[in-house]
Amino acid sequence: MFSSLFSSSRRSFDSLSEQEMLALAISSEEDDARIYLSYADGLREAYPQSAKIFEAMAEEEHNHRARLIELHRQRFGETIPLIRREHVRGYYERKPDWLVRPLGIDKVRNMAAQMEEQAARFYEQAAKRVSDAATRKLLGDLALEEKHHEQRAHNLEEKLTPDDVQDQERAGERKQMILTYIQPGLAGLMDGSVSTLAPIFAAAFATQDTWQTFLVGMSASVGAGISMGFTEAAHDDGHLSGRGSPVKRGLASGIMTTIGGLGHALPYLITDFWTATTIAVIVVFIELWAIAYIQNRFMETPFMRAAFQVVLGGALVLAAGILIGNA
């Protein structure tokens, strides 16, 4: 019983027979081709030229698979053992494409280069362990081809995605990130930072009870986050506007709204009222200047104009909360 608990269900690479080595190579090429096609499918709508690169690389993997199957048929017959990379201890792993989404241009190109490097290393090691001349030759040839795939991808990149196309794709990628994450997140941060100022500081100066103020701030922040998140997700499904997934936008808006409010609510966990209030005011101005920076950095709003709008508006709301709390 204990041996079954502690023993690994995976085979060691050295224990594989030559037939199993070929079967592992076949299943690996199948998986890699599917991954490249998934990359192509994920990129096709926004980056059609880059999608063609991965379609061509998938075709290369299909060619490798066909050559491996033909060799297996000649040596071992029609039945290929079922052995996959997850059955072999220490064998390289592949992440399914949904784990690396969103599929950024540079991200998938780097992933592809890593895949080719790992595949070349496998074929080099496998070639050392086989004695049949034809098998050894094929595995060695595939190792060289996998090494050359990166250059092949580079050549395809130069042909299908020249510099101007790559610049357009990266600009489109940045625009999509702004529409899906930055813009909703910024709106949420502004709402959470500014709209909660009045209730939090009104409660603070009305009660001068830090715990009660913290509870007011917590409820206002979480409530505003839920409201902003659902509003963002519900009012636009993203299909016509091109703003991306409503779930992603809703999460970005809701989370940043909550963070914006909690920034100046958390200081009221400090029991001394004036210490907590001083820290909260400092946090408020940090939040407002951060919002101005983000507007300037991503929304291309002139910094002084953004600072004037955000800081002045926030200061007026802060003053209103203090005045109401002292009334």
Side-chain angles (χ1 to χ4, degrees):
M1 184 174 102
F2 285 105
S3 60
S4 64
L5 284 173
F6 291 102
S7 63
S8 172
S9 59
R10 295 189 177 194
R11 296 273 302 278
S12 69
F13 182 74
D14 292 339
S15 72
L16 300 180
S17 66
E18 293 190 10
Q19 182 183 17
E20 290 170 331
M21 201 84 69
L22 284 175
L24 178 60
I26 291 167
S27 66
S28 297
E29 293 290 352
E30 290 173 346
D31 289 345
D32 286 357
R34 281 197 291 266
I35 289 171
Y36 286 143
L37 288 175
S38 295
Y39 286 169
D41 184 61
L43 295 170
R44 187 172 292 108
E45 183 176 353
Y47 316 110
Q49 293 301 105
S50 287
K52 292 178 182 179
I53 294 174
F54 291 100
E55 289 173 349
M57 293 179 71
E59 187 61 34
E60 293 275 357
E61 303 305 310
H62 283 311
N63 176 265
H64 290 181
R65 170 179 170 272
R67 290 158 65 187
L68 288 163
I69 289 176
E70 180 58 30
L71 179 62
H72 185 280
R73 181 181 289 115
Q74 294 172 9
R75 290 197 60 196
F76 303 108
E78 298 291 333
T79 303
I80 301 174
L82 177 59
I83 181 166
R84 306 177 67 85
R85 56 170 51 94
E86 59 267 25
H87 301 152
V88 180
R89 188 165 61 249
Y91 196 63
Y92 61 84
E93 296 181 353
R94 295 280 189 254
K95 289 183 179 180
D97 70 288
W98 51 267
L99 278 181
V100 295
R101 289 180 183 264
L103 295 179
I105 295 296
D106 293 326
K107 180 188 288 186
V108 291
R109 285 173 181 159
N110 290 336
M111 290 289 293
Q114 185 181 47
M115 288 169 63
E116 299 300 331
E117 180 184 352
Q118 291 173 337
R121 191 180 303 119
F122 160 69
Y123 284 122
E124 287 176 345
Q125 295 301 314
K128 294 176 182 177
R129 294 196 61 256
V130 299
S131 56
D132 178 75
T135 305
R136 192 182 186 96
K137 181 180 184 302
L138 177 58
L139 295 177
D141 290 344
L142 292 178
L144 291 175
E145 290 178 25
E146 295 290 357
K147 286 183 177 180
H148 293 155
H149 270 189
E150 188 171 352
Q151 182 60 43
R152 162 79 168 149
H154 181 69
N155 293 338
L156 286 170
E157 189 175 305
E158 289 184 339
K159 177 183 176 181
L160 297 173
T161 58
D163 290 343
D164 58 333
V165 174
Q166 291 188 41
D167 290 342
Q168 291 174 9
E169 290 183 341
R170 288 192 174 95
E173 185 179 18
R174 183 177 187 275
K175 179 181 178 182
Q176 191 61 58
M177 181 189 70
I178 290 173
L179 290 174
T180 304
Y181 297 103
I182 303 297
Q183 193 178 69
L186 178 61
L189 184 61
M190 292 175 66
D191 184 84
S193 298
V194 176
S195 68
T196 58
L197 286 176
I200 290 176
F201 284 95
F205 282 89
T207 64
Q208 296 202 2
D209 184 323
T210 58
W211 178 246
Q212 295 301 320
T213 302
F214 169 74
L215 293 179
V216 170
M218 176 66 77
S219 60
S221 302
V222 173
I226 294 172
S227 175
M228 284 288 288
F230 273 99
T231 300
E232 177 62 42
H235 88 278
D236 179 10
D237 63 9
H239 294 306
L240 294 178
S241 65
R243 296 180 65 220
S245 165
V247 174
K248 293 176 182 177
R249 296 195 331 269
L251 286 172
S253 180
I255 290 171
M256 293 309 293
T257 301
T258 303
I259 290 173
L262 287 178
H264 43 269
L266 290 174
Y268 283 98
L269 288 171
I270 300 171
T271 55
D272 181 76
F273 172 76
W274 287 110
T275 301
T277 300
T278 301
I279 294 175
V281 170
I282 293 172
V283 170
V284 167
F285 280 97
I286 292 173
E287 290 172 345
L288 297 178
W289 283 106
I291 291 170
Y293 170 78
I294 295 171
Q295 283 187 318
N296 173 255
R297 175 71 175 78
F298 294 101
M299 312 305 292
E300 299 181 358
T301 305
F303 183 78
M304 293 310 297
R305 190 174 82 186
F308 178 77
Q309 293 172 341
V310 175
V311 176
L312 178 61
L316 290 174
V317 176
L318 174 63
I322 293 173
L323 289 172
I324 293 171
N326 282 315

